[in-house]
Amino acid sequence: MGCVRLYFPEWTRANRSRLWHHLSAPALAHHLLRVARRDGIEQAILHRVMAGYLKGQRVRHYHPETAGMDHPQCLELIDRRERLESFLSSHAEELRKVRLVILSVALPSQVQA
């Protein structure tokens, strides 16, 4: 099993791939959730970040009335390492906009599901 965490600002947009996207490109987080589901990734979670910062930015704190578009987001994908690597390769152009962390998970043989 493996885990990939993608970190990026909330304002990050997906590439324009359809006619309607030229009017308003979709948010990268929602786009990646959709394509992860379509590509058969076992689990995808978009974490709500209460506070944090991305490289080169100041610390941001979440508040519903003042949330800025540069507030950090984290999308976590969990699946077999091979499938995650395939996903990352297939969506390499979109993933240039994110900071990526890959975690390997080794489970004892009696615990694997």
Side-chain angles (χ1 to χ4, degrees):
M1 292 298 288
C3 174
V4 173
R5 285 191 164 197
L6 309 169
Y7 298 94
F8 49 94
E10 193 171 322
W11 59 260
T12 310
R13 298 286 177 206
N15 291 338
R16 292 170 167 89
S17 60
R18 298 183 186 156
L19 175 63
W20 291 112
H21 291 179
H22 289 283
L23 299 174
S24 176
L28 183 61
H30 297 286
H31 171 73
L32 290 174
L33 274 171
R34 187 175 50 79
V35 296
R37 179 73 168 176
R38 182 194 68 203
D39 291 357
I41 297 297
E42 188 175 299
Q43 182 173 317
I45 304 290
L46 181 59
H47 293 281
R48 177 170 299 233
V49 176
M50 297 309 293
Y53 63 93
L54 299 170
K55 183 179 179 181
Q57 294 184 348
R58 63 183 178 87
V59 175
R60 308 276 183 202
H61 297 274
Y62 177 78
H63 187 279
E65 294 178 4
T66 62
M69 293 304 285
D70 53 354
H71 191 75
Q73 288 189 318
C74 175
L75 177 63
E76 181 178 82
L77 306 174
I78 298 175
D79 206 328
R80 292 186 331 270
R81 187 170 179 96
E82 309 82 47
R83 186 172 287 179
L84 291 171
E85 289 172 354
S86 175
F87 179 85
L88 296 176
S89 177
S90 297
H91 303 285
E93 183 65 32
E94 296 284 1
L95 297 176
R96 290 181 189 194
K97 304 170 187 176
V98 307
R99 177 163 265 192
L100 179 90
V101 177
I102 300 174
L103 307 167
S104 291
V105 179
L107 298 175
S109 59
Q110 67 271 26
V111 178
Q112 289 184 359

